[in-house]
Amino acid sequence: EADIYQTPRYLVIGTGKKITLECSQTMGHDKMYWYQQDPGMELHLIHYSYGVNSTEKGDLSSESTVSRIRTEHFPLTLESARPSHTSQYLCASSGLTGAAYNEQFFGPGTRLTVL
Amino acid sequence: QKEVEQDPGPLSVPEGAIVSLNCTYSNSAFQYFMWYRQYSRKGPELLMYTYSSGNKEDGRFTAQVDKSSKYISLFIRDSQPSDSATYLCAMSAMGGTSYGKLTFGQGTILTVHP
């Protein structure tokens, strides 16, 4: 079944740890996105990619980094986590042409807590 | 001023009520309009998708876009407790560097009580 997956779903870690949030999709989509969402707030785009070896920073500045070595995989890394990074991180993907260009499909999210 | 404004609510209605959710926007370049539904501790799921002005109906859900007023609406008929969720509007421009990038509203929290 075509879908988009995120792991872990929940993560509690201490300050200074390096973490990687995984995102994979089986829909064959070229475009992928990372959003940050705080409770009661809108989604903010932090990274996006239009294809392999293509990554761009989004509208909200983030200390995280991303990579796109394979079409289906778009991991997000924090080199040194801090309490200010506590948030929900949502991964999304969309097709490349026509109406599908704008329809984004979301994963279940990773809720990160940094102590 | 935010590009997309959405009343966060919360909105509480009895089962069977008609619900109206709204967003206003300021960017006249927006051409694609979407409504997402997000259950607690889940990712948003696409509910409705419209291009430019007009209405679109899907079962109990109707999406309306009025580009002249920069105003979009989502109507839910015969609301059910299972409709309780946060509803997010999202918009996208056509062409240029914004092509394919979505701008979201804050989300409206809806509770439908039996």
Side-chain angles (χ1 to χ4, degrees):
Chain A
E1 180 183 333
D3 210 338
I4 181 165
Y5 306 91
Q6 287 187 247
T7 57
R9 291 292 315 278
Y10 303 93
L11 181 62
V12 181
I13 60 167
T15 298
K17 299 291 186 183
K18 177 180 178 179
I19 61 164
T20 296
L21 307 184
E22 301 289 347
C23 176
S24 294
Q25 50 95 5
T26 57
M27 295 179 281
H29 286 165
D30 287 291
K31 294 190 296 176
M32 297 188 74
Y33 310 82
W34 275 103
Y35 291 87
Q36 188 172 335
Q37 184 184 33
D38 293 318
M41 302 296 289
E42 59 265 49
L43 279 72
H44 291 288
L45 181 67
I46 52 175
H47 298 283
Y48 62 99
S49 167
Y50 284 167
V52 171
N53 294 325
S54 154
T55 61
E56 302 286 345
K57 289 193 177 295
D59 304 320
L60 180 68
S61 177
S62 174
E63 294 168 341
S64 59
T65 58
V66 293
S67 62
R68 190 88 184 274
I69 299 172
R70 302 198 317 266
T71 299
E72 64 273 18
H73 194 215
F74 191 40
L76 180 146
T77 298
L78 274 168
E79 290 292 332
S80 180
R82 294 204 301 269
S84 61
H85 297 138
T86 295
S87 188
Q88 166 140 291
Y89 292 84
L90 290 160
C91 181
S93 70
S94 64
L96 193 59
T97 59
Y101 205 95
N102 292 281
E103 294 182 46
Q104 294 185 17
F105 297 88
F106 285 81
T110 294
R111 187 169 295 274
L112 173 66
T113 301
V114 183
L115 304 176
Chain B
Q1 183 186 0
K2 294 181 181 179
E3 277 192 297
V4 179
E5 296 279 358
Q6 183 176 5
D7 186 343
L11 188 61
S12 181
V13 302
E15 183 174 355
I18 297 174
V19 176
S20 173
L21 306 168
N22 312 293
C23 288
T24 59
Y25 62 95
S26 58
N27 188 347
S28 57
F30 287 145
Q31 296 276 356
Y32 299 93
F33 304 91
M34 282 144 275
W35 286 94
Y36 283 84
R37 178 175 61 195
Q38 185 175 23
Y39 290 113
S40 180
R41 301 190 180 277
K42 302 279 189 181
E45 57 177 322
L46 184 64
L47 200 58
M48 297 286 284
Y49 176 99
T50 52
Y51 169 68
S52 197
S53 286
N55 294 359
K56 186 174 183 179
E57 189 172 320
D58 184 2
R60 297 185 294 109
F61 299 90
T62 300
Q64 288 186 350
V65 175
D66 182 349
K67 290 190 67 182
S68 62
S69 302
K70 296 190 176 67
Y71 187 87
I72 70 169
S73 300
L74 177 70
F75 296 95
I76 307 174
R77 293 184 300 279
D78 188 25
S79 56
Q80 303 294 310
S82 58
D83 295 328
S84 298
T86 297
Y87 289 80
L88 302 150
C89 63
M91 310 177 188
S92 177
M94 188 171 179
T97 57
S98 296
Y99 199 15
K101 290 169 63 177
L102 296 182
T103 301
F104 283 85
Q106 188 175 347
T108 299
I109 300 171
L110 171 67
T111 301
V112 181
H113 51 85

